[in-house]
Amino acid sequence: MTDDSYMKEEIRTLLEDLLPLVDFDSEFLFSELDSLGVTTILMSLSDKYNIKLEAVDATPRNLKTLDSIVTMVQRKLQEKEG
């Protein structure tokens, strides 16, 4: 497995455990999330990857799909390193 697919599965497992009613294969994931779901995603990913995710990161673009969530986490990790 590549790092990207490993991270995607890691994030999927984490979020499915926290939000079992959300379909993380949805092409419109953001529309399935309420404010608590969005907060749960941001807080749990912040804790897991030791990155800073804030309300400004909770955009439909960042939370549209599982892939876009992975991209957001990778971008934050790169920003932290840089």
Side-chain angles (χ1 to χ4, degrees):
M1 249 195 287
T2 66
D3 287 346
D4 286 356
S5 60
Y6 177 78
M7 179 181 273
K8 182 176 179 178
E9 286 309 307
E10 190 175 64
I11 290 173
R12 174 191 297 277
T13 302
L14 173 72
L15 297 182
E16 283 179 343
D17 287 349
L18 294 170
L19 301 166
L21 300 179
V22 175
D23 176 11
F24 286 96
D25 292 318
S26 173
E27 290 297 312
F28 302 101
L29 178 59
F30 187 79
S31 64
E32 295 193 27
L33 298 171
D34 59 12
S35 59
L36 182 59
V38 169
T39 302
T40 298
I41 288 172
L42 295 179
M43 289 178 61
S44 60
L45 293 176
S46 291
D47 290 347
K48 175 149 187 71
Y49 293 101
N50 195 27
I51 54 177
K52 192 170 187 174
L53 292 172
E54 302 172 288
V56 295
D57 297 308
T59 64
R61 181 172 175 239
N62 285 340
L63 301 175
K64 182 179 179 200
T65 63
L66 186 58
D67 285 332
S68 62
I69 293 172
V70 171
T71 299
M72 174 182 64
V73 169
Q74 289 172 331
R75 186 177 67 248
K76 290 292 185 173
L77 285 169
Q78 288 172 348
E79 288 173 7
K80 188 176 117 178
E81 290 172 4

